[in-house]
Amino acid sequence: MKRINVISPVAPELDPGFVPAALWNREYRKLAAAAADSVKIAITCERSNGAVSRFDSVMLADTAENLNVNFYYVERIVKFMLWAYGGCEVTIAGAPLVAAKLAETYSADGERAFDYDVMGERIYGKEFKVVSVPFEQAKAEKSISMKLGGNFEGCRIGFDLGGSDRKCAAVIDGKAVHSEEVVWDPYFQKDVNYHREGILDSLRRAAAKMPRIDAIGGSAAGVYVENQPRIASLFRGIPETDFKSKVRPIFLEIAKEFPGVPFVVLNDGEVTALAGAISLQKNSLIGLAMGTSEAVGYVTPEGNLTDYLNELAFAPVDYRQADSPRDEWSGDCGVGASYLSQQAVGRLVKAAGFDFPAETKLPDILKLVQQARSENDERSSRIYRSIGVYLGYAIAHYADFYKLDNLLLLGRVSSGEGGSEIINEANRVLKEVFPELSVEIHIPDETFKRHGQAVIAASL
Protein backbone atom coordinates (compact mmCIF):
# COMPACT_ATOMS: atom_id res chain seq x y z
CA MET A 1 0.00 0.00 0.00
CA LYS A 2 1.30 3.43 -0.92
CA ARG A 3 2.18 5.28 2.26
CA ILE A 4 0.51 8.58 3.05
CA ASN A 5 2.89 10.60 5.20
CA VAL A 6 1.07 12.81 7.67
CA ILE A 7 2.87 15.30 9.88
CA SER A 8 0.60 17.01 12.39
CA PRO A 9 1.75 20.60 13.00
CA VAL A 10 -0.24 20.52 16.25
CA ALA A 11 -0.39 17.15 18.00
CA PRO A 12 -2.28 16.04 21.13
CA GLU A 13 0.43 15.93 23.78
CA LEU A 14 -0.94 12.78 25.42
CA ASP A 15 -1.57 10.94 22.15
CA PRO A 16 1.26 11.63 19.69
CA GLY A 17 0.25 8.71 17.44
CA PHE A 18 -3.05 10.39 16.49
CA VAL A 19 -3.44 10.71 12.70
CA PRO A 20 -6.10 13.34 11.93
CA ALA A 21 -8.52 12.23 9.22
CA ALA A 22 -8.53 15.74 7.75
CA LEU A 23 -4.75 15.71 7.27
CA TRP A 24 -4.58 12.14 5.90
CA ASN A 25 -7.30 12.91 3.37
CA ARG A 26 -5.59 16.15 2.39
CA GLU A 27 -2.32 14.35 1.68
CA TYR A 28 -4.05 11.55 -0.23
CA ARG A 29 -5.89 14.05 -2.44
CA LYS A 30 -2.64 15.89 -3.17
CA LEU A 31 -1.09 12.59 -4.27
CA ALA A 32 -4.10 11.74 -6.42
CA ALA A 33 -4.30 15.20 -7.98
CA ALA A 34 -0.64 15.01 -8.99
CA ALA A 35 -1.00 11.60 -10.66
CA ALA A 36 -1.39 11.64 -14.44
CA ASP A 37 -3.84 8.73 -14.41
CA SER A 38 -6.06 9.80 -11.52
CA VAL A 39 -9.83 9.36 -11.85
CA LYS A 40 -12.93 11.17 -10.71
CA ILE A 41 -15.24 9.30 -8.35
CA ALA A 42 -18.58 10.00 -6.72
CA ILE A 43 -19.85 8.31 -3.57
CA THR A 44 -23.56 8.44 -2.83
CA CYS A 45 -25.62 7.25 0.12
CA GLU A 46 -29.34 6.81 -0.56
CA ARG A 47 -31.92 6.53 2.19
CA SER A 48 -35.24 4.69 2.09
CA ASN A 49 -37.14 7.98 1.63
CA GLY A 50 -35.27 8.68 -1.63
CA ALA A 51 -32.91 11.31 -0.20
CA VAL A 52 -29.37 11.09 -1.59
CA SER A 53 -26.12 12.49 -0.17
CA ARG A 54 -23.18 12.77 -2.58
CA PHE A 55 -19.42 13.21 -2.13
CA ASP A 56 -17.19 13.87 -5.15
CA SER A 57 -13.43 13.37 -5.12
CA VAL A 58 -10.35 12.49 -7.10
CA MET A 59 -8.74 9.08 -6.65
CA LEU A 60 -5.58 7.33 -7.75
CA ALA A 61 -6.12 5.03 -10.72
CA ASP A 62 -8.47 2.15 -9.86
CA THR A 63 -5.83 -0.56 -10.27
CA ALA A 64 -4.74 -3.58 -8.26
CA GLU A 65 -1.53 -1.76 -7.38
CA ASN A 66 -3.43 1.15 -5.81
CA LEU A 67 -6.31 -0.89 -4.39
CA ASN A 68 -5.31 -0.90 -0.74
CA VAL A 69 -4.68 2.83 -0.38
CA ASN A 70 -7.69 3.70 -2.55
CA PHE A 71 -9.88 1.39 -0.54
CA TYR A 72 -8.72 2.89 2.75
CA TYR A 73 -9.54 6.38 1.50
CA VAL A 74 -12.95 5.49 0.09
CA GLU A 75 -13.99 3.14 2.89
CA ARG A 76 -13.32 5.75 5.59
CA ILE A 77 -15.31 8.31 3.56
CA VAL A 78 -18.19 5.84 3.20
CA LYS A 79 -18.11 5.05 6.90
CA PHE A 80 -18.29 8.75 7.72
CA MET A 81 -21.10 9.40 5.24
CA LEU A 82 -23.19 6.52 6.56
CA TRP A 83 -23.13 7.80 10.12
CA ALA A 84 -23.34 11.47 9.16
CA TYR A 85 -26.13 11.19 6.60
CA GLY A 86 -27.47 7.64 6.81
CA GLY A 87 -28.10 5.30 3.92
CA CYS A 88 -29.12 1.77 2.99
CA GLU A 89 -27.62 1.88 -0.50
CA VAL A 90 -24.08 3.07 -1.23
CA THR A 91 -23.07 3.70 -4.83
CA ILE A 92 -19.44 3.98 -5.88
CA ALA A 93 -19.30 5.69 -9.25
CA GLY A 94 -16.05 5.38 -11.21
CA ALA A 95 -14.12 2.80 -9.14
CA PRO A 96 -15.31 -0.82 -9.70
CA LEU A 97 -12.34 -2.47 -7.95
CA VAL A 98 -12.86 -0.42 -4.82
CA ALA A 99 -16.62 -0.97 -4.99
CA ALA A 100 -16.19 -4.77 -5.13
CA LYS A 101 -13.97 -4.78 -2.05
CA LEU A 102 -16.34 -2.41 -0.27
CA ALA A 103 -19.28 -4.75 -0.93
CA GLU A 104 -17.35 -7.59 0.72
CA THR A 105 -16.44 -5.43 3.70
CA TYR A 106 -19.99 -4.12 4.24
CA SER A 107 -21.72 -7.49 4.26
CA ALA A 108 -23.27 -9.82 6.83
CA ASP A 109 -19.95 -11.59 7.40
CA GLY A 110 -17.61 -8.71 6.51
CA GLU A 111 -15.54 -6.45 8.72
CA ARG A 112 -18.32 -3.86 8.78
CA ALA A 113 -21.12 -6.30 9.57
CA PHE A 114 -22.29 -3.94 12.36
CA ASP A 115 -22.83 -1.10 9.87
CA TYR A 116 -24.38 -3.49 7.33
CA ASP A 117 -26.97 -4.62 9.88
CA VAL A 118 -27.72 -1.24 11.44
CA MET A 119 -27.92 0.73 8.19
CA GLY A 120 -30.00 -1.97 6.56
CA GLU A 121 -32.74 -3.72 8.46
CA ARG A 122 -32.46 -1.97 11.83
CA ILE A 123 -32.82 1.64 10.67
CA TYR A 124 -34.23 1.55 7.16
CA GLY A 125 -35.92 -1.87 7.03
CA LYS A 126 -34.10 -2.84 3.83
CA GLU A 127 -31.09 -4.96 2.99
CA PHE A 128 -27.95 -2.83 2.84
CA LYS A 129 -26.06 -2.95 -0.45
CA VAL A 130 -23.09 -1.46 -2.29
CA VAL A 131 -23.51 -0.72 -6.00
CA SER A 132 -20.87 0.05 -8.67
CA VAL A 133 -21.66 2.29 -11.65
CA PRO A 134 -19.68 4.43 -14.11
CA PHE A 135 -18.97 7.95 -12.91
CA GLU A 136 -21.46 9.45 -15.36
CA GLN A 137 -24.29 7.45 -13.77
CA ALA A 138 -23.79 8.75 -10.24
CA LYS A 139 -27.03 9.94 -8.65
CA ALA A 140 -27.54 13.62 -7.96
CA GLU A 141 -27.83 15.05 -4.45
CA LYS A 142 -31.39 15.13 -3.12
CA SER A 143 -31.87 16.68 0.30
CA ILE A 144 -34.77 16.81 2.74
CA SER A 145 -35.06 19.40 5.51
CA MET A 146 -37.68 20.59 7.97
CA LYS A 147 -38.37 23.39 10.43
CA LEU A 148 -38.73 22.28 14.06
CA GLY A 149 -38.39 23.92 17.46
CA GLY A 150 -38.80 27.46 18.72
CA ASN A 151 -42.29 26.89 20.16
CA PHE A 152 -42.13 28.36 23.65
CA GLU A 153 -45.69 29.42 24.35
CA GLY A 154 -47.71 27.61 27.01
CA CYS A 155 -46.77 24.97 29.57
CA ARG A 156 -44.20 22.54 28.23
CA ILE A 157 -41.98 19.72 29.46
CA GLY A 158 -38.60 18.96 27.97
CA PHE A 159 -36.34 16.03 28.81
CA ASP A 160 -32.84 14.96 27.87
CA LEU A 161 -31.74 11.37 28.43
CA GLY A 162 -28.03 10.76 28.83
CA GLY A 163 -25.99 7.72 29.72
CA SER A 164 -25.24 8.86 33.28
CA ASP A 165 -28.13 11.21 34.08
CA ARG A 166 -31.53 12.28 32.85
CA LYS A 167 -32.56 15.94 32.84
CA CYS A 168 -36.07 17.32 32.81
CA ALA A 169 -37.42 20.88 32.69
CA ALA A 170 -40.83 22.47 33.13
CA VAL A 171 -41.10 25.56 30.91
CA ILE A 172 -43.87 28.16 30.99
CA ASP A 173 -43.88 30.66 28.11
CA GLY A 174 -40.18 30.08 27.52
CA LYS A 175 -39.08 30.37 31.15
CA ALA A 176 -37.85 27.31 33.04
CA VAL A 177 -39.76 27.04 36.31
CA HIS A 178 -38.23 23.65 37.17
CA SER A 179 -35.03 21.95 36.05
CA GLU A 180 -33.80 18.71 37.56
CA GLU A 181 -30.95 16.29 36.93
CA VAL A 182 -31.26 12.69 38.17
CA VAL A 183 -28.41 10.21 38.13
CA TRP A 184 -29.23 6.86 36.51
CA ASP A 185 -27.45 3.94 34.89
CA PRO A 186 -29.46 2.83 31.83
CA TYR A 187 -26.76 1.30 29.64
CA PHE A 188 -26.82 -2.29 30.73
CA GLN A 189 -30.23 -2.59 32.40
CA LYS A 190 -31.93 -5.72 31.10
CA ASP A 191 -35.47 -4.68 32.06
CA VAL A 192 -36.94 -1.87 29.94
CA ASN A 193 -39.19 -0.92 32.88
CA TYR A 194 -36.10 0.65 34.49
CA HIS A 195 -36.00 3.15 31.62
CA ARG A 196 -39.77 3.60 31.42
CA GLU A 197 -40.28 4.26 35.12
CA GLY A 198 -37.28 6.57 35.32
CA ILE A 199 -38.49 8.71 32.41
CA LEU A 200 -42.05 8.80 33.76
CA ASP A 201 -40.79 9.80 37.20
CA SER A 202 -38.98 12.82 35.74
CA LEU A 203 -41.97 13.83 33.60
CA ARG A 204 -44.42 13.58 36.49
CA ARG A 205 -42.19 15.68 38.75
CA ALA A 206 -42.01 18.36 36.08
CA ALA A 207 -45.76 18.18 35.46
CA ALA A 208 -46.38 18.86 39.15
CA LYS A 209 -44.76 22.29 38.73
CA MET A 210 -47.27 23.51 36.13
CA PRO A 211 -51.04 24.05 35.96
CA ARG A 212 -51.32 21.98 32.76
CA ILE A 213 -49.21 20.36 30.03
CA ASP A 214 -49.46 21.65 26.46
CA ALA A 215 -46.58 19.68 24.90
CA ILE A 216 -43.69 17.34 25.71
CA GLY A 217 -40.43 17.18 23.82
CA GLY A 218 -37.53 14.82 24.39
CA SER A 219 -33.88 14.44 23.55
CA ALA A 220 -32.05 11.11 23.70
CA ALA A 221 -29.02 9.44 22.19
CA GLY A 222 -29.66 7.20 19.20
CA VAL A 223 -31.58 7.07 15.95
CA TYR A 224 -35.28 7.86 16.22
CA VAL A 225 -37.93 7.36 13.54
CA GLU A 226 -41.49 8.50 14.36
CA ASN A 227 -40.66 8.65 18.09
CA GLN A 228 -39.30 5.11 18.02
CA PRO A 229 -35.67 4.26 18.80
CA ARG A 230 -34.12 2.17 16.01
CA ILE A 231 -30.67 2.03 17.59
CA ALA A 232 -29.92 3.65 20.93
CA SER A 233 -27.07 3.17 23.40
CA LEU A 234 -29.45 3.82 26.31
CA PHE A 235 -31.03 0.43 25.65
CA ARG A 236 -27.92 -1.61 24.98
CA GLY A 237 -28.66 -3.96 27.87
CA ILE A 238 -32.06 -5.02 26.49
CA PRO A 239 -31.78 -8.39 24.68
CA GLU A 240 -31.90 -7.97 20.91
CA THR A 241 -34.90 -10.29 20.75
CA ASP A 242 -36.87 -7.80 22.87
CA PHE A 243 -35.77 -4.59 21.17
CA LYS A 244 -38.52 -4.45 18.57
CA SER A 245 -41.36 -5.36 20.92
CA LYS A 246 -40.28 -3.54 24.09
CA VAL A 247 -37.88 -0.72 23.21
CA ARG A 248 -39.31 0.66 19.98
CA PRO A 249 -42.73 1.45 21.48
CA ILE A 250 -41.43 2.82 24.79
CA PHE A 251 -42.07 6.51 24.02
CA LEU A 252 -45.40 5.74 22.35
CA GLU A 253 -46.44 4.05 25.59
CA ILE A 254 -45.11 6.87 27.76
CA ALA A 255 -47.05 9.36 25.63
CA LYS A 256 -50.28 7.50 26.47
CA GLU A 257 -49.77 8.56 30.10
CA PHE A 258 -50.38 12.14 28.92
CA PRO A 259 -53.46 11.78 26.68
CA GLY A 260 -53.99 14.50 24.13
CA VAL A 261 -50.55 16.07 24.70
CA PRO A 262 -48.28 16.35 21.62
CA PHE A 263 -45.14 14.27 22.26
CA VAL A 264 -41.93 14.38 20.18
CA VAL A 265 -38.56 12.68 20.71
CA LEU A 266 -35.47 13.58 18.68
CA ASN A 267 -31.84 12.53 18.67
CA ASP A 268 -30.04 14.52 21.36
CA GLY A 269 -27.61 15.94 18.83
CA GLU A 270 -30.44 17.50 16.85
CA VAL A 271 -31.66 19.22 20.00
CA THR A 272 -28.14 20.43 20.71
CA ALA A 273 -28.04 22.00 17.25
CA LEU A 274 -31.45 23.58 17.76
CA ALA A 275 -30.24 24.98 21.06
CA GLY A 276 -27.35 26.62 19.24
CA ALA A 277 -29.42 28.02 16.41
CA ILE A 278 -32.05 29.44 18.76
CA SER A 279 -29.72 30.83 21.42
CA LEU A 280 -27.05 32.19 19.08
CA GLN A 281 -29.34 33.13 16.19
CA LYS A 282 -26.84 31.52 13.84
CA ASN A 283 -27.21 28.77 11.26
CA SER A 284 -24.81 26.49 9.31
CA LEU A 285 -24.21 25.08 12.77
CA ILE A 286 -23.16 21.82 14.33
CA GLY A 287 -24.14 21.26 17.94
CA LEU A 288 -21.72 18.87 19.63
CA ALA A 289 -22.32 17.51 23.11
CA MET A 290 -19.37 15.82 24.81
CA GLY A 291 -21.11 13.55 27.27
CA THR A 292 -21.14 9.82 27.86
CA SER A 293 -20.71 9.59 24.11
CA GLU A 294 -20.53 12.18 21.31
CA ALA A 295 -23.90 13.63 20.30
CA VAL A 296 -24.12 15.77 17.17
CA GLY A 297 -26.83 17.65 15.33
CA TYR A 298 -26.86 20.00 12.38
CA VAL A 299 -28.81 23.09 11.35
CA THR A 300 -28.59 24.05 7.67
CA PRO A 301 -27.73 27.53 6.34
CA GLU A 302 -31.50 28.02 6.01
CA GLY A 303 -32.06 27.20 9.69
CA ASN A 304 -33.64 23.80 9.10
CA LEU A 305 -33.02 20.31 10.42
CA THR A 306 -32.32 17.52 7.95
CA ASP A 307 -33.05 13.80 7.80
CA TYR A 308 -29.35 13.12 8.45
CA LEU A 309 -28.42 10.70 11.22
CA ASN A 310 -25.54 12.87 12.51
CA GLU A 311 -24.34 9.94 14.64
CA LEU A 312 -20.71 11.05 14.49
CA ALA A 313 -19.83 8.99 17.56
CA PHE A 314 -19.41 6.17 15.01
CA ALA A 315 -17.67 8.28 12.34
CA PRO A 316 -13.86 7.99 12.04
CA VAL A 317 -11.64 10.93 13.00
CA ASP A 318 -8.32 9.09 13.58
CA TYR A 319 -6.71 7.32 10.61
CA ARG A 320 -3.80 5.63 12.34
CA GLN A 321 -3.78 2.01 11.27
CA ALA A 322 -2.47 0.46 14.47
CA ASP A 323 -3.11 0.94 18.17
CA SER A 324 -6.07 3.30 17.85
CA PRO A 325 -8.87 2.75 20.37
CA ARG A 326 -11.54 0.28 19.32
CA ASP A 327 -15.20 1.14 19.87
CA GLU A 328 -16.70 -1.62 21.99
CA TRP A 329 -20.08 -1.45 20.26
CA SER A 330 -19.35 -1.12 16.53
CA GLY A 331 -15.93 -2.79 16.67
CA ASP A 332 -14.38 -0.04 14.54
CA CYS A 333 -11.29 1.96 15.45
CA GLY A 334 -10.63 5.69 15.59
CA VAL A 335 -14.28 6.79 15.78
CA GLY A 336 -15.48 10.02 17.32
CA ALA A 337 -16.78 8.71 20.64
CA SER A 338 -13.25 7.73 21.68
CA TYR A 339 -12.01 11.30 21.21
CA LEU A 340 -14.89 13.68 21.94
CA SER A 341 -16.66 12.31 25.02
CA GLN A 342 -16.09 11.01 28.55
CA GLN A 343 -14.44 8.04 26.88
CA ALA A 344 -11.59 10.29 25.78
CA VAL A 345 -11.04 11.46 29.35
CA GLY A 346 -10.99 7.89 30.60
CA ARG A 347 -8.57 6.88 27.86
CA LEU A 348 -6.10 9.69 28.57
CA VAL A 349 -5.95 9.70 32.38
CA LYS A 350 -3.18 7.12 32.60
CA ALA A 351 -1.00 8.93 30.07
CA ALA A 352 -1.58 12.14 32.04
CA GLY A 353 -0.23 10.49 35.21
CA PHE A 354 -3.45 9.72 37.11
CA ASP A 355 -3.82 6.33 38.77
CA PHE A 356 -7.48 5.68 39.49
CA PRO A 357 -8.79 2.28 40.64
CA ALA A 358 -9.66 0.04 37.70
CA GLU A 359 -13.32 -0.12 38.72
CA THR A 360 -13.78 3.69 38.60
CA LYS A 361 -16.59 4.50 36.18
CA LEU A 362 -16.22 7.12 33.45
CA PRO A 363 -18.54 9.72 35.04
CA ASP A 364 -16.55 9.46 38.27
CA ILE A 365 -13.24 9.70 36.40
CA LEU A 366 -14.48 12.89 34.78
CA LYS A 367 -15.48 14.34 38.16
CA LEU A 368 -12.03 13.55 39.57
CA VAL A 369 -10.33 15.17 36.57
CA GLN A 370 -12.57 18.23 36.86
CA GLN A 371 -11.73 18.48 40.55
CA ALA A 372 -8.03 18.26 39.70
CA ARG A 373 -8.45 21.03 37.12
CA SER A 374 -10.15 23.27 39.72
CA GLU A 375 -7.00 22.78 41.82
CA ASN A 376 -4.80 23.76 38.84
CA ASP A 377 -3.42 20.25 38.45
CA GLU A 378 -1.39 20.33 35.22
CA ARG A 379 -2.18 16.68 34.56
CA SER A 380 -5.84 17.51 34.01
CA SER A 381 -4.95 20.42 31.72
CA ARG A 382 -2.95 18.05 29.52
CA ILE A 383 -6.09 15.94 29.10
CA TYR A 384 -8.22 18.92 28.15
CA ARG A 385 -5.63 20.29 25.75
CA SER A 386 -5.36 16.92 24.03
CA ILE A 387 -9.12 16.74 23.62
CA GLY A 388 -9.04 20.28 22.23
CA VAL A 389 -6.60 19.16 19.53
CA TYR A 390 -8.90 16.25 18.69
CA LEU A 391 -11.78 18.70 18.40
CA GLY A 392 -9.92 21.10 16.12
CA TYR A 393 -9.02 18.36 13.66
CA ALA A 394 -12.51 16.86 13.89
CA ILE A 395 -14.06 20.22 12.98
CA ALA A 396 -11.83 20.42 9.91
CA HIS A 397 -12.91 16.91 8.93
CA TYR A 398 -16.59 17.70 9.51
CA ALA A 399 -16.26 20.71 7.22
CA ASP A 400 -15.66 18.30 4.32
CA PHE A 401 -19.20 16.97 4.77
CA TYR A 402 -21.24 19.86 6.20
CA LYS A 403 -21.62 23.53 5.29
CA LEU A 404 -20.18 24.69 8.58
CA ASP A 405 -19.71 28.16 10.02
CA ASN A 406 -20.52 27.61 13.70
CA LEU A 407 -20.07 24.94 16.34
CA LEU A 408 -21.84 24.95 19.70
CA LEU A 409 -20.01 22.91 22.32
CA LEU A 410 -21.98 21.37 25.19
CA GLY A 411 -21.80 18.41 27.54
CA ARG A 412 -20.14 17.48 30.81
CA VAL A 413 -16.65 17.25 29.35
CA SER A 414 -16.81 20.89 28.28
CA SER A 415 -17.93 22.11 31.72
CA GLY A 416 -15.67 24.14 33.98
CA GLU A 417 -12.20 25.49 33.34
CA GLY A 418 -11.34 22.53 31.13
CA GLY A 419 -13.88 23.63 28.54
CA SER A 420 -11.95 26.82 27.87
CA GLU A 421 -8.75 24.82 27.37
CA ILE A 422 -10.52 22.56 24.88
CA ILE A 423 -11.73 25.53 22.87
CA ASN A 424 -8.37 27.31 22.96
CA GLU A 425 -6.58 24.27 21.54
CA ALA A 426 -9.27 23.63 18.93
CA ASN A 427 -9.00 27.23 17.76
CA ARG A 428 -5.21 26.88 17.61
CA VAL A 429 -5.51 23.87 15.32
CA LEU A 430 -7.96 25.67 13.05
CA LYS A 431 -5.84 28.82 12.89
CA GLU A 432 -2.46 27.16 12.36
CA VAL A 433 -3.39 24.13 10.26
CA PHE A 434 -6.61 25.11 8.46
CA PRO A 435 -6.50 28.89 8.01
CA GLU A 436 -8.84 28.58 5.02
CA LEU A 437 -11.68 27.55 7.34
CA SER A 438 -13.77 30.05 9.23
CA VAL A 439 -15.62 28.15 11.95
CA GLU A 440 -16.56 29.93 15.16
CA ILE A 441 -16.78 27.82 18.32
CA HIS A 442 -19.42 28.88 20.82
CA ILE A 443 -19.92 27.74 24.39
CA PRO A 444 -22.95 28.61 26.54
CA ASP A 445 -22.97 29.39 30.23
CA GLU A 446 -22.72 26.52 32.73
CA THR A 447 -26.45 26.20 33.41
CA PHE A 448 -27.29 26.08 29.72
CA LYS A 449 -24.53 23.54 29.04
CA ARG A 450 -25.95 21.13 31.57
CA HIS A 451 -29.69 21.71 31.14
CA GLY A 452 -30.13 23.61 27.86
CA GLN A 453 -31.06 20.55 25.83
CA ALA A 454 -33.99 19.76 28.11
CA VAL A 455 -35.26 23.34 27.90
CA ILE A 456 -34.93 23.48 24.11
CA ALA A 457 -36.54 20.02 23.79
CA ALA A 458 -39.62 21.56 25.39
CA SER A 459 -39.98 23.78 22.30
CA LEU A 460 -40.20 20.91 19.81
Side-chain angles (χ1 to χ4, degrees):
M1 170 169 153
K2 282 188 171 66
R3 183 171 180 81
I4 305 298
N5 294 314
V6 174
I7 299 174
S8 302
V10 181
E13 56 195 283
L14 294 178
D15 192 6
F18 175 66
V19 177
L23 290 187
W24 196 98
N25 285 337
R26 186 163 73 180
E27 293 306 311
Y28 172 88
R29 291 167 191 155
K30 286 180 183 177
L31 184 66
D37 56 352
S38 62
V39 296
K40 292 192 296 183
I41 63 166
I43 305 167
T44 63
C45 291
E46 184 171 359
R47 299 177 280 289
S48 57
N49 59 8
V52 177
S53 297
R54 174 168 169 160
F55 186 94
D56 284 72
S57 186
V58 63
M59 191 184 83
L60 294 169
D62 188 35
T63 63
E65 178 187 4
N66 295 330
L67 180 57
N68 286 342
V69 70
N70 283 343
F71 174 77
Y72 192 76
Y73 173 68
V74 173
E75 191 277 327
R76 294 286 79 185
I77 295 291
V78 167
K79 177 67 181 256
F80 193 100
M81 291 179 69
L82 286 174
W83 290 101
Y85 307 136
C88 51
E89 180 174 318
V90 171
T91 299
I92 306 298
L97 288 182
V98 169
K101 187 171 182 178
L102 201 69
E104 294 177 3
T105 303
Y106 285 82
S107 65
D109 55 358
E111 188 178 0
R112 300 285 173 257
F114 173 85
D115 309 87
Y116 168 86
D117 174 55
V118 171
M119 290 295 163
E121 294 295 337
R122 291 192 62 178
I123 293 180
Y124 295 108
K126 299 175 68 174
E127 184 179 3
F128 182 88
K129 60 181 178 179
V130 177
V131 177
S132 176
V133 301
F135 178 78
E136 295 74 19
Q137 294 180 19
K139 295 179 181 178
E141 180 101 7
K142 182 182 178 182
S143 60
I144 293 175
S145 63
M146 65 212 85
K147 194 76 175 178
L148 285 175
N151 305 302
F152 290 106
E153 69 283 353
C155 299
R156 297 169 171 271
I157 295 175
F159 63 89
D160 174 39
L161 307 178
S164 55
D165 59 64
R166 61 180 192 268
K167 305 176 183 73
C168 194
V171 181
I172 300 178
D173 293 329
K175 181 180 179 181
V177 297
H178 163 82
S179 184
E180 184 179 41
E181 179 177 318
V182 178
V183 174
W184 72 339
D185 185 21
Y187 266 8
F188 301 109
Q189 301 293 334
K190 300 185 184 303
D191 185 353
V192 75
N193 284 321
Y194 174 89
H195 305 77
R196 184 179 186 276
E197 293 306 316
I199 297 165
L200 276 171
D201 176 64
S202 290
L203 293 178
R204 287 167 178 156
R205 285 147 74 112
K209 305 295 182 180
M210 298 188 296
R212 66 181 190 277
I213 308 172
D214 295 321
I216 299 174
S219 158
V223 175
Y224 291 81
V225 178
E226 296 178 345
N227 289 348
Q228 300 173 64
R230 298 302 173 91
I231 176 172
S233 58
L234 293 175
F235 305 100
R236 287 166 66 177
I238 307 298
E240 188 62 36
T241 52
D242 293 338
F243 192 93
K244 198 169 190 178
S245 61
K246 295 183 178 179
V247 175
R248 280 196 184 181
I250 186 172
F251 291 107
L252 304 180
E253 293 172 356
I254 289 173
K256 292 177 183 177
E257 300 288 327
F258 305 89
V261 177
F263 195 109
V264 176
V265 182
L266 288 183
N267 168 273
D268 54 355
E270 297 303 304
V271 180
T272 298
L274 271 178
I278 292 171
S279 64
L280 301 171
Q281 297 186 336
K282 293 178 182 290
N283 296 323
S284 300
L285 179 144
I286 278 180
L288 193 159
M290 292 185 182
T292 309
S293 186
E294 177 193 5
V296 174
Y298 178 63
V299 174
T300 69
E302 297 75 31
N304 294 336
L305 295 179
T306 67
D307 69 330
Y308 297 167
L309 296 186
N310 298 315
E311 285 288 338
L312 300 189
F314 293 111
V317 295
D318 181 359
Y319 275 21
R320 77 182 108 180
Q321 298 189 29
D323 302 322
S324 59
R326 183 177 296 275
D327 177 59
E328 63 177 0
W329 196 6
S330 68
D332 202 356
C333 296
V335 299
S338 297
Y339 301 81
L340 301 171
S341 75
Q342 289 182 19
Q343 297 173 44
V345 178
R347 189 169 57 80
L348 295 173
V349 287
K350 187 174 182 180
F354 289 103
D355 186 19
F356 301 133
E359 66 274 13
T360 310
K361 295 183 178 180
L362 287 177
D364 296 323
I365 289 175
L366 177 59
K367 289 178 182 177
L368 291 168
V369 170
Q370 289 173 327
Q371 177 63 31
R373 180 59 190 84
S374 69
E375 297 168 356
N376 295 317
D377 189 324
E378 175 61 17
R379 295 176 299 175
S380 61
S381 290
R382 296 181 73 195
I383 292 173
Y384 286 116
R385 290 197 298 266
S386 294
I387 293 174
V389 173
Y390 293 152
L391 177 61
Y393 282 115
I395 291 171
H397 191 43
Y398 296 170
D400 268 351
F401 301 89
Y402 296 88
K403 293 179 180 177
L404 182 58
D405 295 321
N406 299 281
L407 183 135
L408 177 70
L409 186 63
L410 296 96
R412 283 183 177 273
V413 177
S414 67
S415 296
E417 298 93 331
S420 297
E421 292 180 309
I422 289 174
I423 291 178
N424 290 341
E425 286 300 293
N427 281 329
R428 184 163 76 95
V429 170
L430 292 173
K431 181 179 179 180
E432 295 183 16
V433 189
F434 304 98
E436 71 279 7
L437 295 179
S438 179
V439 179
E440 188 174 357
I441 303 174
H442 308 271
I443 194 162
D445 62 40
E446 290 298 311
T447 300
F448 189 85
K449 273 190 288 188
R450 294 173 65 88
H451 298 282
Q453 284 174 258
V455 173
I456 294 299
S459 78
L460 294 175

